[in-house]
Amino acid sequence: MKRSILLCAAVAAVAFASPVGAAPSIQFVDNLDSTVTLQVVTTANGSLGAELAVEVAASPGLLITSAVINTSVFDVANPGNNPFIPGSPIGGDSIGLWTNLQLGQVFASYGSGIVSPGAYDFLTLGYSGMGTLQAFGLVAAQGQTTSGLTASINVIPEPATAALVGLAMTGAFARRRAG
C-alpha cells in the first residue's frame, strides 16, 4: 500500500511539473526566392489567434513588395490593435491584413481552427533589396495570450539576383578601367 501511494505521488509530481505545452513563438523562414515566411510555432493542440506586425528595420533599400496570409490555416480575419495606427482602440482598429508597403509596414490579425503542435506559415512577404525585417506581436493559444513575441531576419537578394548584380558591377568596373 505504501509503495503504490508513493508511486501515485511521484506520478502526480511529474505531471504537475511538466508544462502542457510551452508558450507559442514566432520565427522567420527564408524561402530563398526573395520571399520570407513568418511562422507561428505551437507545442500544443488547439486553435491559434495571432496579431503580428512586420516592419523594415534600419535597412536602406529594403522594400516589402507583397504580403499574403496562409488562409489554409489562418482562415478567420480578426479585429486587431494595429501598432502602425496611432491611438489604437481596445478591440482593434483593423481587421485581417493591413499593409503600408511604401513605409515597409504590414499588420495581420487572424485565427485558425484546431491545429496540432508544429510550425505554421502565417504570412509570406515578398521583398526587394537587402536589410532586416522585424516582426512583433502576440499569439493566443489554449486560452493564454503570449505578448511581446519578436523575430527578425536579415534578407539578401536571391542568389541569381545577387549574381546578376555582381556581374553588372564587374562589367561596369571593367568598362570604367578600359575607358
Side-chain angles (χ1 to χ4, degrees):
M1 183 70 171
K2 261 186 175 178
R3 206 177 270 173
S4 54
I5 291 173
L6 287 174
L7 181 59
C8 287
V11 168
V14 168
F16 285 114
S18 306
V20 173
S25 60
I26 58 175
Q27 66 187 15
F28 274 110
V29 174
D30 189 340
N31 300 319
L32 302 176
D33 62 357
S34 296
T35 67
V36 295
T37 299
L38 181 59
Q39 295 181 326
V40 174
V41 181
T42 182
T43 59
N45 291 322
S47 60
L48 299 170
E51 288 185 27
L52 299 172
V54 179
E55 65 183 339
V56 172
S59 303
L62 177 61
L63 300 172
I64 298 173
T65 58
S66 63
V68 178
I69 294 292
N70 176 11
T71 57
S72 66
V73 175
F74 295 93
D75 57 351
V76 178
N78 292 327
N81 294 326
N82 186 335
F84 303 121
I85 298 175
S88 293
I90 301 299
D93 50 18
S94 63
I95 296 174
L97 181 62
W98 176 96
T99 63
N100 186 335
L101 299 181
Q102 291 84 7
L103 293 179
Q105 300 172 333
V106 175
F107 176 74
S109 183
Y110 281 83
S112 76
I114 304 296
V115 296
S116 302
Y120 293 92
D121 293 352
F122 178 70
L123 175 68
T124 298
L125 301 165
Y127 68 88
S128 65
M130 51 194 287
T132 303
L133 291 171
Q134 175 74 33
F136 56 94
L138 62 89
V139 174
Q142 294 192 327
Q144 300 286 330
T145 300
T146 304
S147 58
L149 298 175
T150 62
S152 65
I153 188 167
N154 293 320
V155 295
I156 57 172
E158 62 168 306
T161 302
L164 287 174
V165 169
L167 186 60
M169 290 177 68
T170 302
F173 180 72
R175 186 176 305 158
R176 188 174 191 187
R177 283 184 59 118

Short mmCIF file of all heavy atoms in Angstrom, two decimals, residues 79-156:
data_model
loop_
_atom_site.label_atom_id
_atom_site.label_comp_id
_atom_site.label_asym_id
_atom_site.label_seq_id
_atom_site.Cartn_x
_atom_site.Cartn_y
_atom_site.Cartn_z
N PRO A 79 -10.40 41.24 -35.61
CA PRO A 79 -10.00 42.62 -35.31
C PRO A 79 -8.71 42.60 -34.50
O PRO A 79 -8.50 41.70 -33.69
CB PRO A 79 -11.17 43.17 -34.50
CG PRO A 79 -11.95 41.99 -34.05
CD PRO A 79 -11.60 40.84 -34.92
N GLY A 80 -7.84 43.56 -34.75
CA GLY A 80 -6.58 43.62 -34.02
C GLY A 80 -6.16 45.04 -33.74
O GLY A 80 -6.61 45.98 -34.38
N ASN A 81 -5.30 45.20 -32.75
CA ASN A 81 -4.76 46.51 -32.38
C ASN A 81 -3.48 46.75 -33.19
O ASN A 81 -2.40 46.33 -32.81
CB ASN A 81 -4.48 46.58 -30.88
CG ASN A 81 -5.76 46.52 -30.08
OD1 ASN A 81 -6.78 47.02 -30.50
ND2 ASN A 81 -5.70 45.88 -28.92
N ASN A 82 -3.63 47.45 -34.28
CA ASN A 82 -2.55 47.71 -35.22
C ASN A 82 -1.59 48.76 -34.64
O ASN A 82 -1.98 49.90 -34.43
CB ASN A 82 -3.16 48.21 -36.54
CG ASN A 82 -2.16 48.36 -37.64
OD1 ASN A 82 -0.98 48.56 -37.41
ND2 ASN A 82 -2.65 48.29 -38.86
N PRO A 83 -0.33 48.38 -34.41
CA PRO A 83 0.62 49.33 -33.82
C PRO A 83 1.00 50.48 -34.77
O PRO A 83 1.58 51.47 -34.32
CB PRO A 83 1.84 48.47 -33.50
CG PRO A 83 1.76 47.35 -34.49
CD PRO A 83 0.29 47.09 -34.68
N PHE A 84 0.69 50.34 -36.05
CA PHE A 84 1.04 51.38 -37.01
C PHE A 84 -0.03 52.46 -37.15
O PHE A 84 0.17 53.44 -37.85
CB PHE A 84 1.34 50.75 -38.38
CG PHE A 84 2.43 49.72 -38.34
CD1 PHE A 84 2.20 48.42 -38.75
CD2 PHE A 84 3.71 50.04 -37.88
CE1 PHE A 84 3.20 47.46 -38.71
CE2 PHE A 84 4.72 49.09 -37.83
CZ PHE A 84 4.47 47.80 -38.25
N ILE A 85 -1.17 52.26 -36.49
CA ILE A 85 -2.23 53.26 -36.49
C ILE A 85 -2.22 53.93 -35.12
O ILE A 85 -2.46 53.27 -34.11
CB ILE A 85 -3.61 52.63 -36.78
CG1 ILE A 85 -3.61 52.01 -38.18
CG2 ILE A 85 -4.72 53.67 -36.64
CD1 ILE A 85 -4.88 51.26 -38.53
N PRO A 86 -1.92 55.23 -35.07
CA PRO A 86 -1.84 55.92 -33.77
C PRO A 86 -3.15 55.82 -33.00
O PRO A 86 -4.24 55.87 -33.58
CB PRO A 86 -1.55 57.37 -34.15
CG PRO A 86 -1.00 57.31 -35.53
CD PRO A 86 -1.64 56.12 -36.18
N GLY A 87 -3.03 55.66 -31.68
CA GLY A 87 -4.20 55.64 -30.81
C GLY A 87 -5.06 54.42 -30.99
O GLY A 87 -6.28 54.53 -30.95
N SER A 88 -4.46 53.26 -31.15
CA SER A 88 -5.24 52.04 -31.35
C SER A 88 -6.25 51.84 -30.23
O SER A 88 -5.88 51.79 -29.06
CB SER A 88 -4.30 50.82 -31.38
OG SER A 88 -3.48 50.85 -32.50
N PRO A 89 -7.53 51.71 -30.57
CA PRO A 89 -8.54 51.49 -29.54
C PRO A 89 -8.56 50.04 -29.07
O PRO A 89 -8.11 49.14 -29.78
CB PRO A 89 -9.84 51.83 -30.25
CG PRO A 89 -9.57 51.50 -31.68
CD PRO A 89 -8.11 51.83 -31.89
N ILE A 90 -9.06 49.81 -27.87
CA ILE A 90 -9.24 48.45 -27.38
C ILE A 90 -10.28 47.78 -28.29
O ILE A 90 -11.29 48.36 -28.63
CB ILE A 90 -9.74 48.46 -25.91
CG1 ILE A 90 -8.74 49.18 -25.01
CG2 ILE A 90 -10.01 47.04 -25.42
CD1 ILE A 90 -7.37 48.55 -24.96
N GLY A 91 -10.00 46.56 -28.66
CA GLY A 91 -10.93 45.85 -29.53
C GLY A 91 -10.53 45.89 -30.99
O GLY A 91 -11.13 45.22 -31.81
N GLY A 92 -9.53 46.67 -31.30
CA GLY A 92 -8.99 46.64 -32.65
C GLY A 92 -9.37 47.80 -33.53
O GLY A 92 -10.43 48.38 -33.41
N ASP A 93 -8.44 48.14 -34.40
CA ASP A 93 -8.66 49.21 -35.36
C ASP A 93 -8.45 48.75 -36.79
O ASP A 93 -8.57 49.52 -37.71
CB ASP A 93 -7.76 50.41 -35.05
CG ASP A 93 -6.32 50.01 -34.86
OD1 ASP A 93 -5.94 48.90 -35.27
OD2 ASP A 93 -5.58 50.79 -34.28
N SER A 94 -8.10 47.50 -36.97
CA SER A 94 -8.04 46.93 -38.31
C SER A 94 -8.43 45.46 -38.22
O SER A 94 -8.29 44.84 -37.17
CB SER A 94 -6.65 47.12 -38.94
OG SER A 94 -5.66 46.45 -38.22
N ILE A 95 -8.91 44.93 -39.31
CA ILE A 95 -9.36 43.54 -39.36
C ILE A 95 -8.60 42.84 -40.47
O ILE A 95 -8.52 43.33 -41.59
CB ILE A 95 -10.88 43.44 -39.61
CG1 ILE A 95 -11.64 44.05 -38.43
CG2 ILE A 95 -11.31 41.99 -39.83
CD1 ILE A 95 -13.13 44.13 -38.63
N GLY A 96 -8.04 41.67 -40.15
CA GLY A 96 -7.35 40.89 -41.16
C GLY A 96 -6.00 41.46 -41.53
O GLY A 96 -5.20 41.80 -40.66
N LEU A 97 -5.75 41.61 -42.83
CA LEU A 97 -4.46 42.05 -43.33
C LEU A 97 -4.49 43.55 -43.65
O LEU A 97 -5.37 44.02 -44.36
CB LEU A 97 -4.09 41.27 -44.60
CG LEU A 97 -2.75 41.59 -45.25
CD1 LEU A 97 -1.59 41.28 -44.31
CD2 LEU A 97 -2.60 40.81 -46.55
N TRP A 98 -3.52 44.29 -43.11
CA TRP A 98 -3.35 45.72 -43.36
C TRP A 98 -1.93 45.93 -43.84
O TRP A 98 -0.99 45.37 -43.27
CB TRP A 98 -3.59 46.48 -42.05
CG TRP A 98 -3.36 47.95 -42.11
CD1 TRP A 98 -4.29 48.92 -42.31
CD2 TRP A 98 -2.11 48.65 -41.91
NE1 TRP A 98 -3.72 50.16 -42.27
CE2 TRP A 98 -2.37 50.02 -42.03
CE3 TRP A 98 -0.81 48.24 -41.67
CZ2 TRP A 98 -1.38 50.99 -41.90
CZ3 TRP A 98 0.19 49.19 -41.55
CH2 TRP A 98 -0.11 50.55 -41.66
N THR A 99 -1.75 46.70 -44.91
CA THR A 99 -0.39 46.95 -45.41
C THR A 99 -0.19 48.43 -45.71
O THR A 99 -1.11 49.13 -46.11
CB THR A 99 -0.11 46.16 -46.71
OG1 THR A 99 -0.98 46.61 -47.74
CG2 THR A 99 -0.26 44.66 -46.51
N ASN A 100 1.03 48.86 -45.50
CA ASN A 100 1.52 50.14 -46.00
C ASN A 100 2.91 49.84 -46.56
O ASN A 100 3.92 50.00 -45.87
CB ASN A 100 1.58 51.19 -44.90
CG ASN A 100 1.94 52.56 -45.46
OD1 ASN A 100 2.56 52.67 -46.50
ND2 ASN A 100 1.55 53.60 -44.73
N LEU A 101 2.93 49.30 -47.78
CA LEU A 101 4.18 48.84 -48.37
C LEU A 101 5.17 49.97 -48.59
O LEU A 101 6.38 49.76 -48.49
CB LEU A 101 3.90 48.09 -49.67
CG LEU A 101 3.02 46.83 -49.52
CD1 LEU A 101 2.83 46.16 -50.87
CD2 LEU A 101 3.56 45.87 -48.49
N GLN A 102 4.68 51.19 -48.86
CA GLN A 102 5.59 52.32 -49.06
C GLN A 102 6.40 52.60 -47.79
O GLN A 102 7.57 53.00 -47.87
CB GLN A 102 4.81 53.60 -49.45
CG GLN A 102 4.18 53.55 -50.80
CD GLN A 102 2.81 52.84 -50.77
OE1 GLN A 102 2.29 52.49 -49.72
NE2 GLN A 102 2.26 52.62 -51.94
N LEU A 103 5.81 52.41 -46.62
CA LEU A 103 6.52 52.62 -45.36
C LEU A 103 7.14 51.33 -44.81
O LEU A 103 7.73 51.34 -43.74
CB LEU A 103 5.59 53.23 -44.31
CG LEU A 103 5.12 54.65 -44.60
CD1 LEU A 103 4.18 55.13 -43.49
CD2 LEU A 103 6.30 55.60 -44.75
N GLY A 104 6.98 50.22 -45.53
CA GLY A 104 7.56 48.96 -45.07
C GLY A 104 6.85 48.40 -43.86
O GLY A 104 7.50 47.87 -42.96
N GLN A 105 5.51 48.48 -43.81
CA GLN A 105 4.74 48.03 -42.66
C GLN A 105 3.62 47.08 -43.09
O GLN A 105 2.92 47.34 -44.05
CB GLN A 105 4.11 49.23 -41.94
CG GLN A 105 5.12 50.22 -41.45
CD GLN A 105 4.46 51.49 -40.91
OE1 GLN A 105 3.37 51.88 -41.32
NE2 GLN A 105 5.15 52.15 -39.99
N VAL A 106 3.48 45.99 -42.31
CA VAL A 106 2.41 45.02 -42.53
C VAL A 106 1.89 44.61 -41.16
O VAL A 106 2.67 44.38 -40.24
CB VAL A 106 2.93 43.77 -43.29
CG1 VAL A 106 1.85 42.71 -43.42
CG2 VAL A 106 3.48 44.15 -44.66
N PHE A 107 0.56 44.51 -41.03
CA PHE A 107 -0.06 44.02 -39.80
C PHE A 107 -1.11 43.00 -40.19
O PHE A 107 -1.87 43.20 -41.14
CB PHE A 107 -0.70 45.16 -39.02
CG PHE A 107 -1.44 44.70 -37.80
CD1 PHE A 107 -0.76 44.27 -36.67
CD2 PHE A 107 -2.82 44.65 -37.78
CE1 PHE A 107 -1.43 43.82 -35.55
CE2 PHE A 107 -3.51 44.22 -36.65
CZ PHE A 107 -2.81 43.80 -35.53
N ALA A 108 -1.16 41.89 -39.45
CA ALA A 108 -2.14 40.85 -39.73
C ALA A 108 -2.72 40.33 -38.43
O ALA A 108 -1.99 40.10 -37.46
CB ALA A 108 -1.50 39.71 -40.51
N SER A 109 -4.04 40.15 -38.42
CA SER A 109 -4.75 39.62 -37.25
C SER A 109 -5.69 38.52 -37.73
O SER A 109 -6.71 38.81 -38.36
CB SER A 109 -5.52 40.75 -36.56
OG SER A 109 -6.16 40.26 -35.40
N TYR A 110 -5.32 37.27 -37.45
CA TYR A 110 -6.07 36.11 -37.95
C TYR A 110 -6.13 35.01 -36.90
O TYR A 110 -5.26 34.92 -36.02
CB TYR A 110 -5.41 35.54 -39.21
CG TYR A 110 -5.72 36.32 -40.45
CD1 TYR A 110 -5.00 37.46 -40.77
CD2 TYR A 110 -6.75 35.93 -41.30
CE1 TYR A 110 -5.30 38.20 -41.91
CE2 TYR A 110 -7.05 36.66 -42.44
CZ TYR A 110 -6.32 37.79 -42.74
OH TYR A 110 -6.62 38.51 -43.86
N GLY A 111 -7.12 34.15 -37.05
CA GLY A 111 -7.26 32.98 -36.20
C GLY A 111 -7.30 31.72 -37.03
O GLY A 111 -7.55 31.75 -38.24
N SER A 112 -7.05 30.60 -36.36
CA SER A 112 -7.03 29.30 -37.03
C SER A 112 -8.08 28.38 -36.41
O SER A 112 -8.61 28.66 -35.34
CB SER A 112 -5.66 28.64 -36.87
OG SER A 112 -5.50 28.12 -35.56
N GLY A 113 -8.30 27.27 -37.08
CA GLY A 113 -9.06 26.18 -36.47
C GLY A 113 -8.13 25.41 -35.55
O GLY A 113 -7.05 25.89 -35.18
N ILE A 114 -8.51 24.22 -35.16
CA ILE A 114 -7.69 23.38 -34.29
C ILE A 114 -6.47 22.88 -35.07
O ILE A 114 -6.61 22.35 -36.17
CB ILE A 114 -8.49 22.17 -33.75
CG1 ILE A 114 -9.77 22.64 -33.04
CG2 ILE A 114 -7.63 21.30 -32.86
CD1 ILE A 114 -9.54 23.45 -31.80
N VAL A 115 -5.29 23.08 -34.50
CA VAL A 115 -4.04 22.60 -35.11
C VAL A 115 -3.28 21.75 -34.10
O VAL A 115 -3.50 21.86 -32.90
CB VAL A 115 -3.15 23.78 -35.60
CG1 VAL A 115 -3.84 24.56 -36.71
CG2 VAL A 115 -2.77 24.69 -34.46
N SER A 116 -2.41 20.91 -34.61
CA SER A 116 -1.52 20.09 -33.79
C SER A 116 -0.25 20.88 -33.51
O SER A 116 0.00 21.90 -34.15
CB SER A 116 -1.16 18.81 -34.53
OG SER A 116 -2.32 18.08 -34.85
N PRO A 117 0.59 20.39 -32.60
CA PRO A 117 1.88 21.07 -32.39
C PRO A 117 2.67 21.14 -33.69
O PRO A 117 2.65 20.21 -34.49
CB PRO A 117 2.58 20.17 -31.37
CG PRO A 117 1.46 19.50 -30.64
CD PRO A 117 0.39 19.28 -31.67
N GLY A 118 3.33 22.28 -33.92
CA GLY A 118 4.14 22.43 -35.12
C GLY A 118 4.34 23.89 -35.48
O GLY A 118 3.89 24.79 -34.78
N ALA A 119 5.02 24.10 -36.59
CA ALA A 119 5.27 25.45 -37.12
C ALA A 119 4.31 25.66 -38.29
O ALA A 119 4.24 24.83 -39.21
CB ALA A 119 6.71 25.59 -37.59
N TYR A 120 3.56 26.76 -38.25
CA TYR A 120 2.55 27.05 -39.26
C TYR A 120 2.86 28.37 -39.96
O TYR A 120 3.04 29.38 -39.30
CB TYR A 120 1.15 27.10 -38.63
CG TYR A 120 0.74 25.73 -38.14
CD1 TYR A 120 1.00 25.35 -36.82
CD2 TYR A 120 0.15 24.82 -39.00
CE1 TYR A 120 0.66 24.09 -36.37
CE2 TYR A 120 -0.19 23.55 -38.56
CZ TYR A 120 0.06 23.19 -37.25
OH TYR A 120 -0.27 21.93 -36.82
N ASP A 121 2.91 28.31 -41.29
CA ASP A 121 3.10 29.53 -42.08
C ASP A 121 1.94 30.47 -41.80
O ASP A 121 0.77 30.06 -41.90
CB ASP A 121 3.16 29.21 -43.57
CG ASP A 121 4.39 28.40 -43.95
OD1 ASP A 121 5.27 28.20 -43.10
OD2 ASP A 121 4.45 27.98 -45.12
N PHE A 122 2.25 31.72 -41.45
CA PHE A 122 1.23 32.71 -41.15
C PHE A 122 1.17 33.75 -42.26
O PHE A 122 0.12 34.01 -42.83
CB PHE A 122 1.54 33.37 -39.80
CG PHE A 122 0.58 34.45 -39.39
CD1 PHE A 122 -0.72 34.14 -39.03
CD2 PHE A 122 0.99 35.77 -39.35
CE1 PHE A 122 -1.61 35.13 -38.64
CE2 PHE A 122 0.12 36.78 -38.97
CZ PHE A 122 -1.19 36.46 -38.62
N LEU A 123 2.32 34.33 -42.60
CA LEU A 123 2.38 35.46 -43.51
C LEU A 123 3.63 35.34 -44.37
O LEU A 123 4.73 35.19 -43.84
CB LEU A 123 2.43 36.75 -42.68
CG LEU A 123 2.62 38.07 -43.38
CD1 LEU A 123 1.40 38.41 -44.23
CD2 LEU A 123 2.84 39.17 -42.35
N THR A 124 3.46 35.38 -45.69
CA THR A 124 4.61 35.35 -46.60
C THR A 124 4.77 36.74 -47.20
O THR A 124 3.82 37.33 -47.71
CB THR A 124 4.42 34.29 -47.69
OG1 THR A 124 4.33 33.01 -47.06
CG2 THR A 124 5.60 34.29 -48.66
N LEU A 125 6.00 37.25 -47.11
CA LEU A 125 6.33 38.59 -47.58
C LEU A 125 7.30 38.50 -48.75
O LEU A 125 8.31 37.81 -48.66
CB LEU A 125 6.98 39.40 -46.47
CG LEU A 125 6.14 39.57 -45.20
CD1 LEU A 125 7.00 40.05 -44.05
CD2 LEU A 125 5.00 40.53 -45.46
N GLY A 126 6.98 39.22 -49.83
CA GLY A 126 7.93 39.40 -50.91
C GLY A 126 8.77 40.62 -50.60
O GLY A 126 8.31 41.55 -49.93
N TYR A 127 10.01 40.63 -51.07
CA TYR A 127 10.88 41.78 -50.81
C TYR A 127 11.84 42.00 -51.96
O TYR A 127 12.08 41.10 -52.77
CB TYR A 127 11.65 41.62 -49.49
CG TYR A 127 12.68 40.51 -49.54
CD1 TYR A 127 13.98 40.76 -49.99
CD2 TYR A 127 12.37 39.22 -49.13
CE1 TYR A 127 14.92 39.74 -50.04
CE2 TYR A 127 13.30 38.20 -49.18
CZ TYR A 127 14.57 38.46 -49.63
OH TYR A 127 15.51 37.47 -49.69
N SER A 128 12.37 43.22 -52.01
CA SER A 128 13.47 43.53 -52.91
C SER A 128 14.49 44.30 -52.10
O SER A 128 14.15 44.96 -51.13
CB SER A 128 13.00 44.33 -54.12
OG SER A 128 12.52 45.59 -53.72
N GLY A 129 15.74 44.20 -52.51
CA GLY A 129 16.81 44.86 -51.76
C GLY A 129 17.30 43.96 -50.65
O GLY A 129 17.02 42.77 -50.60
N MET A 130 18.06 44.56 -49.75
CA MET A 130 18.58 43.80 -48.62
C MET A 130 18.48 44.61 -47.35
O MET A 130 18.42 45.83 -47.39
CB MET A 130 20.02 43.36 -48.88
CG MET A 130 20.97 44.45 -49.32
SD MET A 130 22.51 43.80 -49.98
CE MET A 130 23.31 43.24 -48.52
N GLY A 131 18.42 43.90 -46.23
CA GLY A 131 18.29 44.56 -44.94
C GLY A 131 17.67 43.63 -43.92
O GLY A 131 17.77 42.42 -44.02
N THR A 132 16.97 44.21 -42.93
CA THR A 132 16.41 43.45 -41.82
C THR A 132 14.91 43.68 -41.72
O THR A 132 14.45 44.81 -41.77
CB THR A 132 17.08 43.85 -40.49
OG1 THR A 132 18.48 43.66 -40.61
CG2 THR A 132 16.55 43.04 -39.32
N LEU A 133 14.17 42.58 -41.56
CA LEU A 133 12.75 42.64 -41.25
C LEU A 133 12.57 42.26 -39.79
O LEU A 133 13.19 41.31 -39.31
CB LEU A 133 11.96 41.67 -42.12
CG LEU A 133 11.87 42.00 -43.61
CD1 LEU A 133 11.23 40.84 -44.37
CD2 LEU A 133 11.07 43.28 -43.81
N GLN A 134 11.73 43.01 -39.10
CA GLN A 134 11.45 42.78 -37.68
C GLN A 134 9.97 42.47 -37.52
O GLN A 134 9.14 43.21 -38.05
CB GLN A 134 11.81 44.02 -36.86
CG GLN A 134 11.47 43.96 -35.40
CD GLN A 134 12.40 43.06 -34.62
OE1 GLN A 134 13.59 42.94 -34.93
NE2 GLN A 134 11.87 42.39 -33.62
N ALA A 135 9.62 41.40 -36.82
CA ALA A 135 8.23 41.06 -36.52
C ALA A 135 8.02 41.14 -35.02
O ALA A 135 8.92 40.84 -34.23
CB ALA A 135 7.91 39.66 -37.01
N PHE A 136 6.81 41.55 -34.63
CA PHE A 136 6.48 41.61 -33.20
C PHE A 136 4.97 41.49 -33.04
O PHE A 136 4.21 41.76 -33.97
CB PHE A 136 7.00 42.90 -32.57
CG PHE A 136 6.53 44.16 -33.24
CD1 PHE A 136 5.41 44.84 -32.78
CD2 PHE A 136 7.20 44.67 -34.34
CE1 PHE A 136 4.98 46.00 -33.41
CE2 PHE A 136 6.78 45.83 -34.98
CZ PHE A 136 5.65 46.50 -34.50
N GLY A 137 4.55 41.07 -31.86
CA GLY A 137 3.12 40.97 -31.60
C GLY A 137 2.80 39.90 -30.59
O GLY A 137 3.59 39.59 -29.71
N LEU A 138 1.59 39.33 -30.74
CA LEU A 138 1.11 38.36 -29.77
C LEU A 138 0.45 37.19 -30.47
O LEU A 138 -0.01 37.29 -31.60
CB LEU A 138 0.13 39.02 -28.79
CG LEU A 138 -1.15 39.61 -29.34
CD1 LEU A 138 -2.27 38.59 -29.39
CD2 LEU A 138 -1.57 40.78 -28.47
N VAL A 139 0.43 36.06 -29.74
CA VAL A 139 -0.26 34.86 -30.19
C VAL A 139 -1.05 34.33 -29.01
O VAL A 139 -0.53 34.24 -27.90
CB VAL A 139 0.72 33.77 -30.71
CG1 VAL A 139 -0.01 32.48 -31.03
CG2 VAL A 139 1.48 34.27 -31.93
N ALA A 140 -2.31 33.99 -29.25
CA ALA A 140 -3.16 33.39 -28.23
C ALA A 140 -3.33 31.91 -28.56
O ALA A 140 -3.57 31.54 -29.70
CB ALA A 140 -4.51 34.08 -28.18
N ALA A 141 -3.16 31.08 -27.54
CA ALA A 141 -3.33 29.63 -27.68
C ALA A 141 -3.78 29.07 -26.34
O ALA A 141 -3.28 29.50 -25.29
CB ALA A 141 -2.03 28.97 -28.12
N GLN A 142 -4.70 28.14 -26.36
CA GLN A 142 -5.20 27.48 -25.16
C GLN A 142 -5.65 28.47 -24.09
O GLN A 142 -5.39 28.29 -22.91
CB GLN A 142 -4.15 26.53 -24.59
CG GLN A 142 -3.86 25.36 -25.50
CD GLN A 142 -3.05 24.30 -24.79
OE1 GLN A 142 -2.24 24.59 -23.93
NE2 GLN A 142 -3.29 23.06 -25.15
N GLY A 143 -6.31 29.53 -24.50
CA GLY A 143 -6.84 30.49 -23.55
C GLY A 143 -5.81 31.41 -22.93
O GLY A 143 -6.12 32.20 -22.05
N GLN A 144 -4.56 31.31 -23.37
CA GLN A 144 -3.49 32.16 -22.86
C GLN A 144 -2.96 33.04 -23.99
O GLN A 144 -2.77 32.57 -25.10
CB GLN A 144 -2.32 31.30 -22.33
CG GLN A 144 -2.70 30.37 -21.21
CD GLN A 144 -2.89 31.12 -19.91
OE1 GLN A 144 -2.26 32.14 -19.68
NE2 GLN A 144 -3.75 30.61 -19.05
N THR A 145 -2.70 34.30 -23.68
CA THR A 145 -2.12 35.21 -24.66
C THR A 145 -0.65 35.42 -24.33
O THR A 145 -0.32 35.76 -23.20
CB THR A 145 -2.86 36.57 -24.66
OG1 THR A 145 -4.22 36.32 -24.99
CG2 THR A 145 -2.25 37.52 -25.67
N THR A 146 0.20 35.20 -25.31
CA THR A 146 1.63 35.43 -25.15
C THR A 146 1.97 36.68 -25.95
O THR A 146 1.94 36.67 -27.18
CB THR A 146 2.45 34.23 -25.66
OG1 THR A 146 2.02 33.06 -24.97
CG2 THR A 146 3.93 34.45 -25.43
N SER A 147 2.25 37.77 -25.25
CA SER A 147 2.59 39.01 -25.94
C SER A 147 4.09 39.23 -25.87
O SER A 147 4.81 38.50 -25.21
CB SER A 147 1.84 40.18 -25.32
OG SER A 147 2.14 40.28 -23.95
N GLY A 148 4.56 40.24 -26.59
CA GLY A 148 5.98 40.55 -26.59
C GLY A 148 6.82 39.62 -27.45
O GLY A 148 8.03 39.58 -27.31
N LEU A 149 6.18 38.87 -28.35
CA LEU A 149 6.93 37.98 -29.23
C LEU A 149 7.67 38.79 -30.28
O LEU A 149 7.15 39.78 -30.80
CB LEU A 149 5.98 37.00 -29.91
CG LEU A 149 5.21 36.05 -28.99
CD1 LEU A 149 4.21 35.22 -29.79
CD2 LEU A 149 6.16 35.16 -28.22
N THR A 150 8.88 38.38 -30.60
CA THR A 150 9.66 39.06 -31.63
C THR A 150 10.43 38.03 -32.47
O THR A 150 10.73 36.93 -32.00
CB THR A 150 10.69 40.06 -31.05
OG1 THR A 150 11.62 39.34 -30.25
CG2 THR A 150 10.01 41.14 -30.24
N ALA A 151 10.71 38.43 -33.69
CA ALA A 151 11.57 37.65 -34.59
C ALA A 151 12.14 38.63 -35.59
O ALA A 151 11.53 39.65 -35.90
CB ALA A 151 10.77 36.56 -35.31
N SER A 152 13.32 38.34 -36.09
CA SER A 152 13.90 39.18 -37.13
C SER A 152 14.68 38.30 -38.10
O SER A 152 15.05 37.18 -37.78
CB SER A 152 14.80 40.27 -36.54
OG SER A 152 15.92 39.70 -35.91
N ILE A 153 14.90 38.86 -39.29
CA ILE A 153 15.66 38.14 -40.30
C ILE A 153 16.39 39.16 -41.16
O ILE A 153 15.86 40.21 -41.50
CB ILE A 153 14.75 37.24 -41.17
CG1 ILE A 153 15.58 36.35 -42.10
CG2 ILE A 153 13.73 38.06 -41.94
CD1 ILE A 153 14.79 35.24 -42.77
N ASN A 154 17.64 38.85 -41.47
CA ASN A 154 18.42 39.65 -42.42
C ASN A 154 18.21 39.03 -43.79
O ASN A 154 18.44 37.84 -43.97
CB ASN A 154 19.90 39.64 -42.05
CG ASN A 154 20.17 40.35 -40.76
OD1 ASN A 154 19.57 41.38 -40.48
ND2 ASN A 154 21.04 39.80 -39.94
N VAL A 155 17.74 39.83 -44.72
CA VAL A 155 17.44 39.31 -46.05
C VAL A 155 18.42 39.89 -47.06
O VAL A 155 18.87 41.02 -46.94
CB VAL A 155 15.98 39.60 -46.47
CG1 VAL A 155 15.02 38.86 -45.56
CG2 VAL A 155 15.68 41.08 -46.47
N ILE A 156 18.74 39.06 -48.03
CA ILE A 156 19.57 39.48 -49.16
C ILE A 156 18.87 38.98 -50.42
O ILE A 156 18.06 38.06 -50.35
CB ILE A 156 21.00 38.92 -49.06
CG1 ILE A 156 20.98 37.39 -48.99
CG2 ILE A 156 21.74 39.51 -47.88
CD1 ILE A 156 22.33 36.75 -49.09
#
